[in-house]
Amino acid sequence: MLILNNNDRRPLHVRLYDQIKNQILSGKLPPHSKLPSIRQLSSELSISRNTVEYTYEQLNTEGFIYSKPQSGYYISSLNQEFIPCPSQDPLTSKQPFEDEKPCSFDFHPAALAPDSFPSKVWRKLLNECLQKNTEQLTLYSNPQGEIELRCMIQQYLERFRGVSCNPEQIVVCCGLQDNLSVIAQILRGTHSVLAIEDPGHWIPRSVFLSYSFFINPIPVTSDGISLNSLTKTNSMAVYVTPSHQFPLGNVMPVENRLKLIHWAQTVEGVIIEDDYDSELRYHGKPIPALQGLHPGGNIIYIGTFSKVLSPALRISYMVLPYRFLSIYHNLFRNYASTVSLLEQKVLYEFMKQGYWEKHLRKMRTMYKKKHDALIRSIESHFGDRAKILGQGAGLHVVLELTNSRFNENDLITRAREKDVRVLPISDTYQSNNQYPPRVLLGFGSMSPDELDKGIELLSQAWEI
Ligand SMILES: Cc1ncc(COP(=O)(O)O)c(C=O)c1O
């Protein structure tokens, strides 16, 4: 039976065509069965004869149906072997994130403050850039990123992160996965065994696996990745977050940094340093990047604008050691930049005119207030029922419950019942290590009052 869905806004003939085609492919209309006549179907569906005729003609031309003179239209016999199995309709299948409904109190670890994006300045700069660069916008941009933007990034890295490099070593990318897929293509011929932190971010594992790397998960200690374990593996490259380990928040002390560099020199290995949120350190001075300890070594440095400016902009960058630059140029010579030229221009002006540094200072002050409020709330609502791991930097901490009878799943479900969203830490683990119940608590998107209310609700939800 053919029924036209009135909520479907597409033209009638397209809807009718889809219905008949899908019924043929799914076998509901068997081969050689007769279709209703044009007159009959047009009156059944209350549509014009022209529409039915046009649709039948189209199906006939494509071979889904055939016509018999003086008799009408019939379903073609298609070889069932070649008909693809129907895949689940993504709109009707169960969504993996079905229960990811927004909660009133959202502790997502990567969310920024809702009103933090400098829209007014950005709009002004965007307008200026549109006026100044109309001609350039009709062309492809520099595949490596605009040189003027790379110069700004280089100056920033040198001043604020202790990274030593030249603009020609910088590649502008559209986020961590883009950085890593470029790196994977550079390294896969020579360094295809990669060590990653365990626990650690899930993206490096996914990206490198898709380029057929062999992955060695290495435990994380309070001093960052375990060098003892690393040196026992056959790894040729290692991905680390030494200035604020994700997710546990540990800082790798300089002694271990030097040992890691020594390891890389000994095995002719490569260190991939992800310095994703090190601008946001709230007590004491920022921890300089590992790259600065050995700028001429095999250290690929990665940074992002996602933590301080916006994760939606999708702008990140990396610094390639000179020895990988020619490989990069050979591999990517014919590629186009993955980042919009217009956004690069605006970001360049944003940095050049001093807005970036101002914004950075403002964000650090604001997130410090939120961070301190979160710590106070946890201490006051949980007391010795919880331990805080990785405080003092970034946009999240890890909350570990002491003597809790709940497992991680219980914690998340019970929180959700109170309209609070917390994220599991188990997603960051490769191994099935036994550790006390823990969750990730991001504090970027809520005000101090909201944080306090959210923590109070969690404390009630997880009461023993
Ligand atoms: C460990 C780590 N690296 C990098 C990033 C930034 O990724 P992107 O630049 O793709 O936004 C994040 C974001 O949360 C992160 O947690």
Side-chain angles (χ1 to χ4, degrees), residues 109-110 174-179 200-204 239 241 244-246 274-277 302-307 310-312 314-317 396:
C174 64
L176 183 62
Q177 69 214 39
D178 189 27
N179 290 302
H201 204 284
W202 44 90
I203 284 187
Y239 164 89
T241 47
H244 189 219
Q245 201 276 330
F246 182 86
D274 182 358
D275 199 30
Y276 63 110
D277 68 355
I302 299 177
T304 181
F305 288 96
S306 291
K307 294 290 168 182
S310 158
R314 309 308 303 134
I315 307 186
S316 62
Y317 48 86
H396 78 276

Side-chain angles (χ1 to χ4, degrees), residues 78-93:
L78 303 175
N79 191 336
Q80 293 299 313
E81 232 183 274
F82 300 126
I83 296 181
C85 297
S87 54
Q88 267 189 313
D89 178 352
L91 293 177
T92 55
S93 65

Side-chain angles (χ1 to χ4, degrees), residues 25-66:
L25 290 176
S26 67
K28 280 190 194 149
L29 287 172
H32 307 299
S33 59
K34 192 169 188 264
L35 280 166
S37 71
I38 292 171
R39 190 159 46 87
Q40 196 187 348
L41 192 58
S42 75
S43 98
E44 261 174 35
L45 298 176
S46 306
I47 57 177
S48 80
R49 284 191 199 181
N50 277 348
T51 305
V52 181
E53 191 172 357
Y54 180 82
T55 309
Y56 279 7
E57 267 314 306
Q58 183 63 32
L59 289 161
N60 189 19
T61 311
E62 292 181 30
F64 285 104
I65 63 176
Y66 61 95

